[in-house]
Amino acid sequence: MNTNTRRLCHTTLIHSHAKHAKRAALCAILCIAATTGCNALTGSTSQPQTAADASQATHAAIQRADDTSIPKDHASSEAQKVSTHPQEPQSATDTPQPDLSADAQETMMRTAQAYASAALTEARREITKGAYEEAISKANDAWQALPSDEAFAVGLYAASMFSPIDLMYRHSSATTDFEIAVTGLPRVHTCRAQNDTDCLAHDLPRTVSALNALGYAGHADVLSRLAPANAQPQQPLAAFLLPLSGSDRKIGRAMLGAALQAAGLYDHNGLPFAIRFFDTQSTPNAIPDILDELRKYNARLILGPLDIRETLAAAKSLGNQQVLIAFTPNGDFTQHAPAAFQFSYDMPQEAHKLAEFIVSNGISKITAAAPDDEYAASAVKFLQADLPANVALHTVTYPANQTDLRDAAKKVAKQSPELVYFPSTPALAERFASFLAQENIWCRLPGTPQPTAKADTRKFVSCLSSSAWAPVPEQHAYKFIVNGIYLDYSEAAASFDPGFAKTFESLYHRAPSVMEILPFVLLKMLAQLPYSAFQSQDDMMQAIQSLLRGQKFLLIPGFRQISEQSSAPYTATDHNVSAPVRTLVNAQ
């Protein structure tokens, strides 16, 4: 890189002459790829003479990338083994395992190079199609296989193409150091151009830390100079703790989407505080470090976590100026901290709702088809405790992983139940109901008369489940649990925003589950928090107590019916249970 180009880059990075994230990102690319020119995007070893030359070469290379064939054999299963977890060392010079021969090490390196090359080719192709999210993902794959300036520059270029709102969302949901760094660079420059001190106070240190972790200490130092002295957020901060990586990452990211939807499609519109998301990594071990970091920013309000183990760790590590509102249905954590609140659903309350349904429909004979797991055992126990003495509940237990359920279905048939209770997932209930069909037992709505024709030997039963059946996909393929009824919390969200479920379904192609409804409803309620609530822990606790009407706030479910290829709110009839009057209540 010549002197003029280097001076241009450093002037841009330090003094923020670049008013747009795209120019800042391009300059950062030039700085990072200093030893190889712009070969990160072009594959060329020639040195650009000016930033304009580099930009022209970059765009030309991206256009050419569409003509490049992707060697499919490079993405082999062996190459996948080279990819590292975000928590593992991300360096091409890591010491090889001592039990590997030189040939094996060379083979692994060639495989890593091949996989990284294929991933980068795919990333460039995604850029030409305008699929910048996918391009970052592919560049991240390349980096995990074999860290390189090329991978970083491609990811950075893709990130610079996001709109400011999309960039904020993508940076908040980033889970690896690579993703944090490539989205953080244009994010920080955008915030500086907008004089957003809240963003600089939180996102800049996170980006600097990620750059250091990737080995770009020099660039981290340059970026850190953008921070205003003693930068502190001007807007109150609420921290959201979600499992964005690890075993619970799918539900964590869905909850993230629902939270951002509640905040006004990612722009915090209508909320009296800013939201920052923190990844619990699906383990309680990450919680103490997160809470320590939050104390630096005087984060008064902490939302989450989800898992009871993570929540217990958060309650025990809670600072004397912090207030916690967790989503776990297990409320034991509230005993460990007076400033800990529960906002969730719970199984005993679901059982009570199911019992009301059963009694209201005059059902007196029930058989539970229960897999041999802890959830099913608890669900049956809670339902039994809520049923009156004149209602008989029998249980047929079966191995959840068993394929042939004929024997269990025959046992259910011998009970001649009026209602079959499925405390399981809809997929497992569908499998069991298919064997009930072989016994000529079919799901029908309560109140459906039995066949009267002598030749018709079908037996109609009501099929009922808890919220374990949610979410049912927008277009499902279930056949045997059609007409089944299950508990659903959509009415709770609809009471705040009737369009929530529709918008969610358009994004995720399924109805929201209770775990996505929880953050949406909570944030809508917290929109009523006064600014004064963030002045002290006592002020925050009083405000939360007032909003939640106690220390535990539990959602009350309604009923939903599975119809052919879809699902819909259950409509009460003359013989059906009355529609729920309330959808929200506090736990006394």
Side-chain angles (χ1 to χ4, degrees):
M1 181 183 294
N2 64 23
T3 303
N4 291 335
T5 303
R6 186 182 302 277
R7 184 179 299 114
L8 171 63
C9 288
H10 282 239
T11 300
T12 301
L13 287 170
I14 296 173
H15 299 292
S16 191
H17 287 305
K19 295 182 180 180
H20 302 287
K22 295 179 182 179
R23 181 178 170 189
L26 179 59
C27 287
I29 291 173
L30 293 174
C31 290
I32 291 169
T35 58
T36 56
C38 279
N39 69 338
L41 288 170
T42 66
S44 170
T45 58
S46 60
Q47 299 287 340
Q49 297 304 307
T50 66
D53 295 338
S55 177
Q56 183 178 2
T58 294
H59 285 280
I62 291 174
Q63 292 299 323
R64 289 197 303 272
D66 194 42
D67 299 326
T68 306
S69 60
I70 301 175
K72 300 297 183 183
D73 57 314
H74 286 174
S76 63
S77 58
E78 184 64 26
Q80 295 285 0
K81 297 178 184 178
V82 182
S83 180
T84 62
H85 188 277
Q87 301 303 314
E88 296 174 357
Q90 298 180 333
S91 171
T93 59
D94 287 339
T95 304
Q97 296 295 327
D99 57 338
L100 293 178
S101 66
D103 289 342
Q105 294 175 32
E106 184 179 352
T107 300
M108 290 187 65
M109 180 57 70
R110 284 201 305 267
T111 304
Q113 291 172 339
Y115 179 70
S117 175
L120 279 175
T121 301
E122 291 182 3
R124 296 186 187 101
R125 178 168 294 172
E126 296 296 345
I127 288 176
T128 64
K129 296 187 295 186
Y132 303 120
E133 173 71 34
E134 291 77 5
I136 291 177
S137 177
K138 295 297 182 182
N140 180 66
D141 290 343
W143 177 277
Q144 304 301 334
L146 192 65
S148 67
D149 290 342
E150 290 86 344
F152 192 90
V154 170
L156 183 59
Y157 184 88
S160 70
M161 297 297 115
F162 281 119
S163 68
I165 291 178
D166 289 340
L167 184 62
M168 183 274 290
Y169 166 62
R170 187 62 183 84
H171 182 66
S172 296
S173 61
T175 57
T176 68
D177 287 327
F178 179 88
E179 293 175 335
I180 293 170
V182 298
T183 58
L185 276 169
R187 166 77 174 148
V188 166
H189 283 283
T190 299
C191 294
R192 180 172 173 81
Q194 297 174 347
N195 197 28
D196 186 344
T197 56
D198 291 328
C199 165
L200 292 175
H202 298 290
D203 291 352
L204 193 149
R206 185 173 186 240
T207 303
V208 168
S209 176
L211 285 169
N212 279 319
L214 297 184
Y216 291 123
H219 303 290
D221 179 65
V222 170
L223 191 68
S224 65
R225 302 179 202 175
L226 294 178
N230 301 317
Q232 292 295 328
Q234 297 175 347
Q235 192 177 23
L237 174 66
F240 223 120
L241 276 56
L242 291 174
L244 302 177
S245 62
S247 59
D248 296 328
R249 64 187 179 279
K250 288 186 178 180
I251 185 63
R253 293 180 181 184
M255 292 178 73
L256 170 67
L260 292 171
Q261 190 174 337
L265 291 180
Y266 318 137
D267 61 0
H268 303 322
N269 183 34
L271 292 181
F273 49 83
I275 304 175
R276 294 292 179 266
F277 297 92
F278 294 84
D279 181 15
T280 67
Q281 304 170 36
S282 302
T283 172
N285 298 333
I287 300 298
D289 289 340
I290 293 175
L291 293 188
D292 284 343
E293 182 177 354
L294 291 177
R295 292 188 190 99
K296 300 176 184 177
Y297 303 124
N298 196 28
R300 191 83 64 200
L301 181 59
I302 301 172
L303 309 179
L306 168 62
D307 179 79
I308 181 58
R309 298 170 304 150
E310 297 172 19
T311 304
L312 283 171
K316 294 176 180 178
S317 304
L318 202 62
N320 58 11
Q321 290 299 314
Q322 296 172 321
V323 176
L324 176 75
I325 307 178
F327 299 114
T328 174
N330 186 330
D332 292 346
F333 70 92
T334 58
Q335 303 172 12
H336 296 275
F341 295 82
Q342 180 189 22
F343 189 92
S344 188
Y345 71 102
D346 77 337
M347 294 179 66
Q349 190 157 259
E350 287 199 354
H352 182 71
K353 196 70 177 179
L354 294 173
E356 285 182 347
F357 179 93
I358 291 166
V359 171
S360 298
N361 282 281
I363 296 169
S364 60
K365 197 171 183 181
I366 308 167
T367 298
D372 56 351
D373 57 41
E374 184 178 348
Y375 175 85
S378 298
V380 171
K381 180 186 72 173
F382 290 133
L383 179 59
Q384 180 73 75
D386 252 317
L387 290 173
N390 64 336
V391 178
L393 173 61
H394 302 279
T395 303
V396 174
T397 305
Y398 61 92
N401 58 355
Q402 184 172 310
T403 303
D404 189 345
L405 300 175
R406 281 178 293 182
D407 291 343
K410 289 181 183 295
K411 291 179 182 179
V412 171
K414 287 181 180 180
Q415 297 289 337
S416 299
E418 300 170 64
L419 181 145
V420 178
Y421 175 46
F422 294 100
S424 60
T425 64
L428 193 53
E430 170 77 0
R431 179 149 58 92
F432 196 100
S434 70
F435 285 93
L436 287 179
Q438 297 178 24
E439 303 299 320
N440 231 357
I441 297 176
W442 302 86
C443 292
R444 290 295 184 268
L445 295 177
T448 302
Q450 297 293 335
T452 56
K454 291 184 178 180
D456 193 342
T457 60
R458 291 176 299 168
K459 168 72 173 177
F460 293 158
V461 300
S462 300
C463 297
L464 187 65
S465 184
S466 65
S467 62
W469 274 16
V472 171
E474 192 176 41
Q475 292 186 340
H476 65 76
Y478 301 134
K479 297 179 179 179
F480 301 101
I481 58 173
V482 170
N483 298 314
I485 297 170
Y486 63 98
L487 293 178
D488 175 69
Y489 293 85
S490 295
E491 287 298 319
S495 64
F496 287 95
D497 182 358
F500 166 71
K502 184 177 181 180
T503 302
F504 188 93
E505 288 176 13
S506 69
L507 293 171
Y508 295 94
H509 308 293
R510 61 172 174 81
S513 73
V514 63
M515 300 318 301
E516 289 113 29
I517 290 171
L518 283 170
F520 180 85
V521 173
L522 177 59
L523 283 175
K524 286 297 185 182
M525 294 181 69
L526 293 179
Q528 305 172 45
L529 279 178
Y531 181 82
S532 59
F534 290 86
Q535 301 306 305
S536 71
Q537 186 186 56
D538 288 340
D539 291 333
M540 180 62 72
M541 288 183 63
Q542 290 178 13
I544 298 297
Q545 286 273 2
S546 177
L547 282 177
L548 304 189
R549 304 190 295 278
Q551 193 172 18
K552 296 185 178 182
F553 191 97
L554 305 177
L555 300 185
I556 296 293
F559 291 98
R560 197 168 180 89
Q561 169 192 341
I562 295 184
S563 56
E564 292 185 7
Q565 298 183 347
S566 186
S567 64
Y570 176 61
T571 304
T573 64
D574 292 342
H575 298 286
N576 297 144
V577 64
S578 300
V581 177
R582 295 178 301 167
T583 56
L584 299 175
V585 71
N586 64 308
Q588 301 295 336

